[in-house]
Amino acid sequence: MQERLRLAQARQHAVATAASEVVIAAVATAVPEHAIDQSEFLQLTLRVAPEFRRFEQLFANTGIERRYTAVPPAWMMQDHGWVERNAVFAEVAPRLIETVARDCAETAGIDVRNIDAVVVASTTGIAVPSLDARLANRLGLKPEVERLPLFGLGCAGGVTGLARAAGLARSNPGRNVLFVAVELCTINCRIGDRRMANFISAALFGDGAAGVLLRSLEPGETRAGRALLGATGEHMWPMTEDVMGWSIEPDGFGVVISPEIPRFARDKLRPALEGFLAREGLGLADLDGIVLHPGGRKVLESAEQALGVPRETFKHAWDVLGDYGNMSSPTVLFVLERTMAGQPRGRQLLTAFGPGFTVSFAMLDFG
């Protein structure tokens, strides 16, 4: 027994020793061509669903000024079925992720044929072959490229997907792993659904894509000023499947979004975060910044209350929410892009809530 334990510990040590440090080589973002002014879209919505006029202040109070969509706003005010909605997804999503993938490769100064693995997170459409295969063909990636499609992570997909990509990168020094997240939330706007949750969804969600190129360092290779991606983790609260997600309806995905989400952020975020940090031997005081997914105004305000931080802490999150709305999984990477443009220092925590109900974490070290 003792010998087996010794060998197991030795193997674990060998794996840990062989694991490479992973750095962020590039971040890129993209949005589709149609812009939605929040006030104009409110009036368009109320013409179709006038019974919500007494709730129109909800639109004004979102903190959102504009969003972007894969379809003209008038398209969302018409009836569509699964075939029409998914046809848009199959056309636009690959185009957006190709854009961010090429931008990442150019910024990192590598040829796309040197990408060793691709991870794609998306929850707003269905594609088989999956988006990673379509992206590989559009980019001309090598036939040996590893692919990992992720579905169902929702808003948390930007952090959880990045963690999965980091796992692939760490397995072999010198690997380039591309992670992309793309969501076309607006193609799932269903005008026949007159529930309050659908009205709130129409006020919040936009479309976009983001990419992160990760590099696992070879022996002797330096970080060269690049952010180091460290520990990752998740916390899922039991029996909370009805807090956030999709329902399957005859004409498309139906939004599931509980009014309890801000309360969850206020009451549950801090204990979950402190548990994650404690496992890494850290506390809240050891963080130099937090890169938070802006799920909405109330979620941001609740997170500020939970963590006892001023509004300025989440400045980039507030700005992204105002300029793009909640794009689900890519949104936190839009916040990361703006954070990195400000040349941050020290430990930055990347975090997002998602279906499950769950919160995902990733530590970034900017030196």
Side-chain angles (χ1 to χ4, degrees):
M1 176 67 74
Q2 290 296 324
E3 179 64 15
R4 286 201 299 271
L5 179 60
R6 186 189 66 78
L7 290 174
Q9 291 174 335
R11 284 195 296 270
Q12 290 174 354
H13 177 73
V15 170
T17 303
S20 300
E21 289 189 325
V22 175
V23 297
I24 294 179
V27 178
T29 59
V31 292
E33 62 271 28
H34 302 287
I36 305 174
D37 178 85
Q38 188 76 335
S39 59
E40 292 178 2
F41 190 63
L42 169 61
Q43 296 309 313
L44 184 63
T45 301
L46 292 178
R47 283 200 295 270
V48 174
E51 65 268 29
F52 287 111
R53 187 166 297 278
R54 68 184 186 277
F55 300 111
E56 65 180 277
Q57 199 60 31
L58 288 172
F59 262 76
N61 289 340
T62 58
I64 299 168
E65 296 180 12
R66 73 190 63 83
R67 289 170 285 158
Y68 294 84
T69 171
V71 292
W75 188 94
M76 290 184 281
M77 298 297 108
Q78 301 167 355
D79 287 314
H80 301 284
W82 280 99
V83 173
E84 291 174 281
R85 297 181 196 281
N86 216 64
V88 175
F89 182 82
E91 176 189 351
V92 178
R95 188 169 72 235
L96 287 176
I97 60 176
E98 180 183 2
T99 297
V100 296
R102 292 191 183 280
D103 287 349
C104 279
E106 181 178 352
T107 300
I110 71 165
D111 191 298
V112 293
R113 289 170 293 185
N114 290 326
I115 293 174
D116 300 293
V118 177
V119 179
V120 181
S122 187
T123 309
T124 46
I126 301 171
V128 181
S130 50
L131 290 177
D132 43 281
R134 299 175 190 225
L135 178 62
N137 287 325
R138 294 174 77 105
L139 294 177
L141 300 183
K142 56 189 176 185
E144 299 83 12
V145 68
E146 290 186 46
R147 301 184 290 112
L148 178 60
L150 302 172
F151 180 86
L153 297 173
C155 295
V159 181
T160 307
L162 188 63
R164 301 295 179 268
L168 289 175
R170 288 191 181 97
S171 65
N172 194 355
R175 293 189 108 198
N176 298 306
V177 178
L178 176 67
F179 168 60
V180 293
V182 59
E183 305 290 5
L184 304 184
C185 304
T186 64
I187 66 172
N188 295 295
C189 182
R190 298 163 48 254
I191 63 167
D193 185 346
R194 301 302 175 89
R195 295 173 301 150
M196 180 58 72
N198 200 43
F199 181 69
I200 294 173
S201 173
L204 284 177
F205 290 100
D207 300 343
V212 180
L213 187 63
L214 300 177
R215 167 80 179 171
S216 60
L217 300 181
E218 296 183 282
E221 184 179 0
T222 65
R223 289 172 56 178
R226 295 171 292 188
L228 184 69
L229 178 55
T232 61
E234 299 167 48
H235 184 99
M236 187 174 71
W237 291 276
M239 308 305 291
T240 55
E241 295 99 327
D242 57 349
V243 171
M244 178 188 292
W246 290 130
S247 61
I248 306 302
E249 307 297 339
D251 57 344
F253 287 126
V255 66
V256 176
I257 183 168
S258 170
E260 293 296 304
I261 292 174
R263 182 184 65 81
F264 255 93
R266 185 180 64 250
D267 298 343
K268 306 290 189 181
L269 172 59
R270 185 168 187 142
L273 173 55
E274 288 178 335
F276 166 71
L277 292 174
R279 290 190 291 275
E280 302 305 318
L282 301 171
L284 281 170
D286 296 306
L287 298 178
D288 296 290
I290 301 174
V291 181
L292 176 67
H293 167 75
R297 178 184 62 83
K298 289 185 177 181
V299 172
L300 284 173
E301 290 174 346
S302 295
E304 290 168 359
Q305 295 172 18
L307 302 179
V309 298
R311 182 173 176 135
E312 184 64 21
T313 302
F314 299 138
K315 179 187 184 306
H316 296 306
W318 280 106
D319 289 346
V320 167
L321 181 67
D323 292 341
Y324 301 99
N326 183 350
M327 298 168 284
S328 191
S329 63
T331 319
V332 72
L333 302 180
F334 277 66
V335 182
L336 175 61
E337 182 182 50
R338 293 196 180 195
T339 301
M340 292 177 65
Q343 298 182 325
R345 304 297 296 174
R347 295 188 183 95
Q348 302 280 329
L349 175 78
L350 197 69
T351 183
F353 290 103
F357 188 61
T358 185
V359 62
S360 294
F361 305 113
M363 290 294 300
L364 301 175
D365 183 357
F366 287 88

